[in-house]
Amino acid sequence: MKRVLNIAQKKSLQFCRAVLLDRPFHRLDPSFPLHGGDLVAKALSVHSVIQVFSLAGGHISPILTACEALGIRVVDTRHEVPSKTLINCLSFELSARTQYPYLVSVTSQLQCVRRLRLRTVEFLGPYYLSYLLISFTPTVQVCSMGVAAIKRLRKISGAQRPVVVVGSQAMLPFGPKTAQYLARLLIEFGAPIYLGGMSRGLLGVEHHLFFRHTRKQALRDADLIILAGAVTDFRLNYGRSLNRRAKVISLNRSLVQLKLNEGTFWRSELDDVCDVAPAIAQIVPVHCDPSWLQQLRASEEAEEAKISEQSKVALDDGVNPVTLFKVLDSLLTEDSLLVGDGGDFVGTAARILRPRGPLRWLDPGAFGTLGAGGGFALGAKSVRPKSVVWVLWGDGSCAYSIAEIEPATRLNLPFIAIIGNDGSWGQIEREQVKMLGSDVGCPLNPATPYHKVGEGYGAVGLEIRPSATEEKMQQTLRLAQEEHSKGRTVVVNVALGKSKFREGSVSV
């Protein structure tokens, strides 16, 4: 009986024939001076690759040894995932540091950051283009707005209560250079500015146009709203937060994100797939009503006063996280870089801590995908070796990448990790108990000595106990800074109490 093969079976059979029948006719010359790894490394060198991130493996050993021989730095992590999150982190940073600042992540596949010329770019990088064992992750060039869109932008004027909401992708494509350019444009534009994601720190610690705690009020009362890379997902209540009578301009690199929930909960006056900074440059500066700024500033100061009062509340079962972050904020230096990897702990940090400059706040993104902390820390330190990198880990999230303390110690890429230990998946537990009456799956062991875990990987372990005063917190964090200045990675285990500061926040 004749057997009928499907396409997959035929391709599999063809592959087997190629391997089993053709292989004997391809003979190797042992005297040839180069191997495949040498060829890969030379190609990477030609494309100005400067660092390789990898998990060790026999199948890629020739590549790693060849890279080492050519002076390409090899940073080996303990898991494939951190080696990939490094690329996510660094894709924001590199293109302004050298003319062709490429990186490579080598795992079971080879991933390389290269500069490709793309006409349209939809997603917030990096991009993965698959090849046999090699996928390239490009640093993308600027997308330009269409002429018609530019003309419409220039006609928009007369707004008295404008608002600009800036998202992470506004930092693309050229990292620090884009940030500096965009900051200048936004200041010239003259509207109240709200920063989110990796755009935090764009205007420094303080600026009269920079607001942090009154976005909901501003979007409700504004007559012109510019979504500068911001997305109308759950963070903006799917567009419901926008004043329906306001003119809305949406600027986004992704057509999907640009139109998300548009026509259902909000409508745009103008939207365009483009890079944010060049588009903002086309908008005529507004003459913002001074009373609008005064109104928002008064609300901002009132909210700051509430937070300050909450920081003074002593919790029975541990350290108040608001107090902890108030103390940390007072100790941050201009070269500090913050990495957030957690739920409630990082959510609280985002409201309290003030990044000292652009691209000095890194987090996993809108969905809080846990596990990026270790990779982000190594990547940040490798790009900005003079910066003090602070990793903010929840006691749940730290387990994903705490092992990266070992390569941080071994490769002289030190960082300071603060682990908020409240013995639970707190953000999930709060709403789960409220809605379903059970904390099943949420409790963790609060007695876990995470500082000892850090010591086991070669770090300095410090502890902030439940009864610690504000002064004691400051002393411990200062000690962490001192140890870091000596080239040591530090893990600070903080015994947190249960706080109501984040009640009502989204957990699913």
Side-chain angles (χ1 to χ4, degrees):
M1 182 176 177
K2 188 176 180 180
R3 184 181 178 189
V4 179
L5 301 178
N6 61 32
I7 293 176
Q9 290 171 326
K10 287 180 180 179
K11 288 187 177 295
S12 178
L13 185 59
Q14 289 169 1
F15 175 78
C16 291
R17 284 174 175 168
V19 172
L20 297 176
L21 300 180
D22 295 347
R23 189 173 181 180
F25 300 100
H26 295 278
R27 300 186 182 279
L28 298 178
D29 181 0
S31 65
F32 191 72
L34 298 178
H35 53 66
D38 291 314
L39 300 178
V40 171
K42 282 184 176 294
L44 298 179
S45 180
V46 166
H47 287 287
S48 302
V49 169
I50 56 176
Q51 296 189 69
V52 165
F53 300 92
S54 172
L55 175 70
H59 54 299
I60 58 169
S61 293
I63 298 174
L64 301 187
T65 55
C67 285
E68 180 187 37
L70 290 181
I72 298 174
R73 189 183 187 196
V74 176
V75 179
D76 56 299
T77 61
R78 297 288 292 269
H79 194 289
E80 290 182 345
V81 170
S83 72
K84 294 180 180 180
T85 56
L86 281 164
I87 297 298
N88 285 275
C89 165
L90 296 174
S91 63
F92 277 85
E93 187 65 45
L94 293 173
S95 53
R97 300 191 66 81
T98 63
Q99 187 177 3
Y100 299 101
Y102 305 142
L103 297 184
V104 170
S105 173
V106 183
T107 55
S108 57
Q109 293 184 330
L110 181 69
Q111 299 177 16
C112 179
V113 174
R114 295 185 60 196
R115 187 185 305 277
L116 300 182
R117 295 182 179 275
L118 302 181
R119 283 189 175 181
T120 59
V121 179
E122 288 217 352
F123 301 104
L124 181 63
Y127 291 72
Y128 296 92
L129 309 178
S130 296
Y131 296 84
L132 182 62
L133 293 180
I134 301 177
S135 63
F136 295 97
T137 309
T139 304
V140 296
Q141 290 190 323
V142 175
C143 305
S144 301
M145 297 190 72
V147 175
I150 290 174
K151 288 181 178 179
R152 291 175 65 190
L153 271 179
R154 288 175 174 169
K155 289 181 179 179
I156 293 175
S157 61
Q160 298 294 305
R161 301 183 306 281
V163 171
V164 181
V165 183
V166 185
S168 291
Q169 63 163 262
M171 301 297 98
L172 291 171
F174 299 123
K177 285 186 177 180
T178 298
Q180 294 169 9
Y181 178 47
L182 180 60
R184 178 170 61 81
L185 292 173
L186 290 174
I187 292 170
E188 290 175 356
F189 185 64
I193 301 163
Y194 294 85
L195 305 173
M198 290 189 233
S199 73
R200 289 183 174 93
L202 183 64
L203 301 180
V205 175
E206 292 181 353
H207 191 280
H208 75 281
L209 293 176
F210 172 42
F211 298 83
R212 304 175 67 205
H213 306 302
T214 54
R215 188 179 69 181
K216 185 176 181 179
Q217 173 190 344
L219 293 175
R220 182 191 65 211
D221 298 335
D223 58 3
L224 171 63
I225 300 170
I226 299 178
L227 302 177
V231 185
T232 48
D233 55 17
F234 66 91
R235 291 167 291 182
L236 294 178
N237 200 15
Y238 307 99
R240 294 187 188 96
S241 297
L242 312 185
N243 183 354
R244 283 184 170 269
R245 294 185 295 275
K247 292 181 179 179
V248 180
I249 301 173
S250 181
L251 309 171
N252 205 291
R253 297 164 68 92
S254 165
L255 179 61
V256 174
Q257 293 183 353
L258 181 80
K259 297 285 189 179
L260 192 63
N261 299 307
E262 201 267 343
T264 304
F265 300 120
W266 66 286
R267 294 189 179 278
S268 62
E269 177 78 11
L270 169 66
D271 51 54
D272 201 65
V273 177
C274 61
D275 280 331
V276 169
I280 294 291
Q282 304 301 325
I283 306 177
V284 177
V286 296
H287 300 286
C288 187
D289 187 342
S291 65
W292 174 235
L293 289 171
Q294 293 168 6
Q295 175 187 339
L296 292 177
R297 184 57 60 190
S299 299
E300 187 85 3
E301 291 173 354
E303 189 62 28
E304 286 283 3
K306 289 180 183 178
I307 293 173
S308 182
E309 287 300 315
Q310 287 175 298
S311 72
K312 298 174 184 177
V313 176
L315 302 180
D316 296 333
D317 53 347
V319 169
N320 185 335
V322 181
T323 308
L324 174 71
F325 287 126
K326 281 283 189 181
V327 171
L328 176 58
D329 188 68
S330 70
L331 297 176
L332 292 179
T333 56
E334 291 302 312
D335 64 349
S336 295
L337 196 152
L338 301 162
V339 174
D341 184 10
D344 261 3
F345 192 57
V346 174
T348 301
R351 292 198 64 192
I352 308 300
L353 298 179
R354 298 170 297 171
R356 284 357 190 205
L359 295 171
R360 293 191 174 275
W361 172 277
L362 302 174
D363 63 35
F367 299 106
T369 310
L370 303 181
F376 273 18
L378 293 174
K381 192 65 177 179
S382 66
V383 170
R384 291 186 171 177
K386 295 182 179 179
S387 290
V388 180
V389 177
W390 298 82
V391 180
L392 310 174
W393 264 323
D395 53 344
S397 62
C398 73
Y400 287 87
S401 59
I402 196 169
E404 300 313 316
I405 291 172
E406 188 276 325
T409 302
R410 174 167 45 85
L411 300 171
N412 193 28
L413 295 171
F415 56 85
I416 303 173
I418 301 179
I419 300 178
N421 182 3
D422 63 354
S424 71
W425 295 95
Q427 183 165 310
I428 305 301
E429 181 184 57
R430 182 181 56 251
E431 294 303 309
Q432 180 176 308
V433 171
K434 182 179 177 181
M435 295 172 63
L436 303 172
S438 171
D439 67 352
V440 62
C442 296
L444 299 171
N445 183 5
T448 303
Y450 294 104
H451 54 299
K452 296 292 185 183
V453 175
E455 288 175 357
Y457 284 118
V460 175
L462 303 175
E463 188 177 13
I464 295 180
R465 297 181 181 277
S467 58
T469 63
E470 193 170 326
E471 182 180 2
K472 180 60 178 176
M473 295 180 214
Q474 190 172 70
Q475 289 174 356
T476 304
L477 295 179
R478 284 192 184 279
L479 179 57
Q481 288 175 312
E482 291 173 11
E483 292 294 337
H484 178 272
S485 68
K486 300 174 185 177
R488 304 289 304 277
T489 294
V490 183
V491 175
V492 184
N493 183 21
V494 185
L496 289 183
K498 300 290 185 182
S499 169
K500 295 182 178 181
F501 184 72
R502 291 259 300 157
E503 263 193 356
S505 62
V506 175
S507 61
V508 292

